[in-house]
Amino acid sequence: MNICVFCSAADLHGVYTDAAREFAGLIGKRGHSLVWGGSDSGLMKVVADGVQEAGGRLIGISVEFLRNVARPNADEMIVTADLAERKAELLARADAVVVMVGGTGTLDEATEILELRKHGMHTKPVVILNTAGFYDGLQQQMARMEAEGFLPIPLDQLVTFADDGLQALELLGA
């Protein structure tokens, strides 16, 4: 399975890097490929290292203005012209999507993927990995959106939340 992971390229606290390393190891050990933003820094690097060390394959989708931080030893690296093209390529290469901790870029990727799913533009499963309760507020907001009629499909058909990497893979059937 090609598992697309959206996450930060920032250097983060051990609570996030430890969980990311564990999740990445599971992806690689189970023979899956990582489809990710291609960066060789921060949490993106931690995940890529973990997948590669566990025998998984790396498919990076970088963007021209970040070419200088792209991972040099990915199995495959695609460089797109802009962020919109990058997101489209990430989704096209993925069988499933996992959203890990991140900032505005990660949130942008996640909301676009969910919006496309909501409108039936893809049926790939989307799991939000809620490491250390990072996305508790988002989960609460999405539950409110569902309760107040803002979502045309049930929340659990749009996205699921996982507390750890093992649960995320189980939700994906991986």
Side-chain angles (χ1 to χ4, degrees), residues 43-103:
L43 199 63
M44 283 195 198
K45 178 180 180 5
V46 171
V47 174
D49 286 348
V51 169
Q52 200 166 48
E53 289 165 8
R57 191 167 179 272
L58 301 180
I59 304 167
I61 314 293
S62 189
V63 65
E64 187 60 46
F65 69 88
L66 294 174
R67 181 188 288 271
N68 63 318
V69 293
R71 188 177 184 98
N73 65 339
D75 295 291
E76 186 176 350
M77 182 62 68
I78 297 161
V79 179
T80 63
D82 57 38
L83 291 171
E85 186 181 334
R86 179 194 205 185
K87 287 185 285 189
E89 190 67 32
L90 284 161
L91 182 60
R93 295 295 193 108
D95 298 312
V97 176
V98 175
V99 179
M100 297 177 68
V101 297

Side-chain angles (χ1 to χ4, degrees), residues 4-169:
C4 177
V5 171
F6 296 134
C7 66
S8 179
D11 293 320
L12 301 172
H13 188 275
V15 69
Y16 301 120
T17 57
D18 292 348
R21 194 172 292 109
E22 179 182 322
F23 177 55
L26 291 171
I27 291 171
K29 286 176 190 163
R30 293 183 180 199
H32 303 301
S33 295
L34 173 69
V35 180
W36 95 117
S39 180
D40 202 31
S41 63
L43 199 63
M44 283 195 198
K45 178 180 180 5
V46 171
V47 174
D49 286 348
V51 169
Q52 200 166 48
E53 289 165 8
R57 191 167 179 272
L58 301 180
I59 304 167
I61 314 293
S62 189
V63 65
E64 187 60 46
F65 69 88
L66 294 174
R67 181 188 288 271
N68 63 318
V69 293
R71 188 177 184 98
N73 65 339
D75 295 291
E76 186 176 350
M77 182 62 68
I78 297 161
V79 179
T80 63
D82 57 38
L83 291 171
E85 186 181 334
R86 179 194 205 185
K87 287 185 285 189
E89 190 67 32
L90 284 161
L91 182 60
R93 295 295 193 108
D95 298 312
V97 176
V98 175
V99 179
M100 297 177 68
V101 297
T104 56
T106 303
L107 194 56
D108 170 64
E109 292 163 337
T111 55
E112 181 164 332
I113 293 301
L114 292 175
E115 189 67 9
L116 291 170
R117 184 166 166 82
K118 180 181 90 175
H119 291 290
M121 304 301 290
H122 76 88
T123 58
K124 298 169 185 184
V126 179
V127 174
I128 295 178
L129 184 49
N130 192 20
T131 303
F134 186 82
Y135 286 115
D136 285 351
L138 179 61
Q139 189 171 15
Q140 181 182 7
Q141 183 63 46
M142 293 188 83
R144 183 175 180 179
M145 288 175 186
E146 179 182 40
E148 295 187 19
F150 288 94
L151 299 179
I153 61 174
L155 182 58
D156 65 352
Q157 290 178 23
L158 181 64
V159 63
T160 53
F161 286 78
D163 293 324
D164 59 41
L166 184 59
Q167 184 184 22
L169 289 177

